[in-house]
Amino acid sequence: MILRPPELSHRAIALKPSLTLEISAKAKALQAEGRDICSLSAGEPDFNTPGFIVEAAREALSQGITRYGPAAGDPELRAALADKLIHENDIATKPEQVLICNGGKQAIYNLFQVVLNPGDEVLLPSPYWLSYPEMAALAGASTVLIPSSASDGFRLDLDALEARITPKSRLLVINSPGNPTGRVMQRQELEALAELVARHPNLLVMSDEIYEYLLAEGEQHISFASISEAIKDRCFTVNGFAKGWAMTGWRLGYLAGNATVIKAASALQSQSTSNVCSFAQKGALAAIRGSRECVEEMACSYNLRRNFLIEGLQSIPGITLIPPKGAFYAFPQLPERITDSMEFCRRALEDEGLAVVPGVAFGDDRCIRLSCAVSHESITNGLERLQRMLSKF
Ligand code: PLP
């Protein structure tokens, strides 16, 4: 009997696996074979979760908080996050306007599923975080890119954005501080963007603020939903605990915005994944209610290492770098002769044991992404390998 493999759905066939996870996995496999690998590819903090958060989850476990909870999240956590959005982000929010999700990723996925229809267009400033277009496709929508590059400082060109708005445009995505560029949008720019959005009443905006606490000295995070009362009801805020509190594995994020949309996203969650792990939510509650000192300490440490990475990259001839002002990445543009970032990264890993992520994954084939959430030694070592690779490519 010939066994035929099961046929996959069109959605599954169209889906691209995450290139960042793929590179990290390949680097780990080479390391397991005994190769000397220097990885600057990771997209996660190199700290352990602060002790008081772990302790709160442990305590919840020992108190038997191990059962199903409300699909939309622990009411105490929803209320605490509404409070945080009011006081830290200047966004008037009620607890029923907050949905607790399995990471920022599920918050984005849920939003896309409940506001996008097949044929809709998602407007996405490029370079972009690589999961947005895939999630748009999973909702049947297509992605329309608003290009920018290192030569224009990765600025969002509002004229280019407006020129791409059609009757099918449904959702604009912004991400500040941004992955991969580390760009932080300034108040004036956000105000001008809000005016543009006000002119297009069918357009929704999703602001991904997952790196909100990771800011270079002197930078300020401004939530888009706080900018204008006129469009506030069309703005959705995505955030989470992964980056600020070093809680990537806990899978805790949230979506905030219009109550009807949140209710629909909660219904979707109730029919798919149900509540986020109940005792993990108690850890998040401790985090949100606790002092931000631990977050500030980690942010400070990334700042030192980001500056170190920036200095190192700026000293390499042929590299163009727009210094990142937030998150923990740098996104340098390679010399003009290098036009295939995938090939460059594949050879960097094979020849020099250097794992970095090709810019093509983020919509810019001229760049590569390096993480500074590693030790100073790894940054020095990685930059030496990069320089060697550049000299022979
Ligand atoms: N948004 C951006 C811009 C990210 O870089 C990431 C993770 O890398 C996420 C969202 C998702 O984070 P989480 O781990 O909370 O799902």
Side-chain angles (χ1 to χ4, degrees):
M1 194 176 62
I2 302 169
L3 278 179
R4 280 199 333 153
E7 255 178 47
L8 297 177
S9 68
H10 298 161
R11 278 191 310 283
I13 291 167
L15 195 63
K16 284 194 220 114
S18 161
L19 204 60
T20 41
L21 296 183
E22 203 175 302
I23 300 262
S24 300
K26 189 159 180 208
K28 275 185 193 145
L30 286 173
Q31 218 156 16
E33 283 171 19
R35 282 280 308 273
D36 166 30
I37 300 293
C38 175
S39 181
L40 304 184
S41 67
E44 67 177 327
D46 60 343
F47 291 100
N48 290 332
T49 303
F52 72 96
I53 301 173
V54 175
E55 213 31 67
R58 209 196 302 274
E59 178 61 22
L61 253 180
S62 60
Q63 280 176 8
I65 301 184
T66 53
R67 297 170 194 251
Y68 287 137
D74 180 336
E76 275 192 297
L77 182 56
R78 294 177 85 191
L81 285 169
D83 209 48
K84 180 249 182 227
L85 286 163
I86 295 168
H87 294 108
E88 282 188 9
N89 303 85
D90 199 19
I91 310 172
T93 311
K94 296 191 179 121
E96 63 269 26
Q97 290 180 280
V98 182
L99 175 68
I100 314 297
C101 304
N102 264 286
K105 252 187 186 162
Q106 196 193 18
I108 302 165
Y109 180 84
N110 285 344
L111 177 68
F112 283 18
Q113 287 293 323
V114 300
V115 301
L116 296 173
N117 280 311
D120 282 350
E121 291 172 354
V122 173
L123 295 158
L124 182 61
S126 172
Y128 50 82
W129 180 51
L130 74 191
S131 293
Y132 303 133
E134 297 304 317
M135 294 202 210
L138 285 169
S142 55
T143 298
V144 175
L145 297 179
I146 325 298
S148 76
S149 65
S151 57
D152 52 33
F154 297 118
R155 282 187 66 81
L156 171 57
D157 179 339
L158 293 187
D159 294 332
L161 165 61
E162 195 147 29
R164 283 168 177 76
I165 296 180
T166 73
K168 291 183 186 167
S169 307
R170 180 68 175 139
L171 180 73
L172 165 69
V173 173
I174 56 170
N175 170 217
S176 174
N179 176 7
T181 62
R183 185 159 187 270
V184 175
M185 294 179 80
Q186 306 295 316
R187 179 175 289 280
Q188 255 188 339
E189 193 181 5
L190 293 169
E191 282 171 353
L193 180 61
E195 280 172 26
L196 181 154
V197 172
R199 290 196 288 276
H200 299 277
N202 292 327
L203 195 62
L204 308 176
V205 182
M206 182 191 85
S207 176
D208 180 343
E209 303 181 5
I210 197 121
Y211 294 98
E212 114 176 278
Y213 295 119
L214 307 188
L215 292 166
E217 237 172 88
E219 291 295 324
Q220 196 195 351
H221 172 72
I222 297 162
S223 289
F224 186 65
S226 72
I227 292 284
S228 156
E229 214 32 59
I231 59 160
K232 184 176 164 269
D233 209 39
R234 293 194 269 138
C235 298
F236 295 88
T237 306
V238 165
N239 209 328
F241 294 80
K243 315 290 179 176
W245 279 274
M247 291 173 69
T248 45
W250 293 63
R251 310 311 303 133
L252 266 155
Y254 54 97
L255 173 69
N258 171 282
T260 307
V261 172
I262 294 297
K263 202 168 167 198
S266 163
L268 172 69
Q269 195 159 286
S270 77
Q271 297 290 22
S272 51
T273 56
S274 294
N275 64 284
V276 173
C277 170
S278 48
F279 49 88
Q281 289 190 74
K282 292 298 183 195
L285 185 61
I288 209 77
R289 284 183 176 161
S291 140
R292 295 288 179 274
E293 211 173 301
C294 58
V295 175
E296 281 157 19
E297 269 171 27
M298 290 188 271
C300 233
S301 159
Y302 299 128
N303 282 354
L304 293 175
R305 292 180 280 169
R306 189 188 308 105
N307 287 341
F308 188 62
L309 178 62
I310 291 172
E311 273 169 36
L313 284 168
Q314 283 175 332
S315 71
I316 300 178
I319 288 265
T320 310
L321 180 72
I322 302 300
K325 302 286 185 189
F328 39 56
Y329 311 105
F331 198 57
Q333 183 176 285
L334 300 173
E336 214 160 322
R337 65 177 185 280
I338 304 170
T339 50
D340 183 343
S341 61
M342 188 67 210
E343 175 61 7
F344 181 82
C345 291
R346 197 182 54 73
R347 279 196 39 204
L349 187 54
E350 278 165 17
D351 299 1
E352 290 297 334
L354 171 66
V356 289
V357 189
V360 69
F362 309 97
D364 190 335
D365 216 3
R366 296 275 321 272
C367 297
I368 55 172
R369 191 192 75 175
L370 295 81
S371 167
C372 70
V374 293
S375 66
H376 277 84
E377 296 76 60
S378 293
I379 294 175
T380 306
N381 187 329
L383 289 172
E384 280 165 11
R385 291 176 197 226
L386 175 63
Q387 212 155 357
R388 272 203 303 274
M389 190 65 219
L390 281 169
S391 66
K392 62 187 184 195
F393 199 90

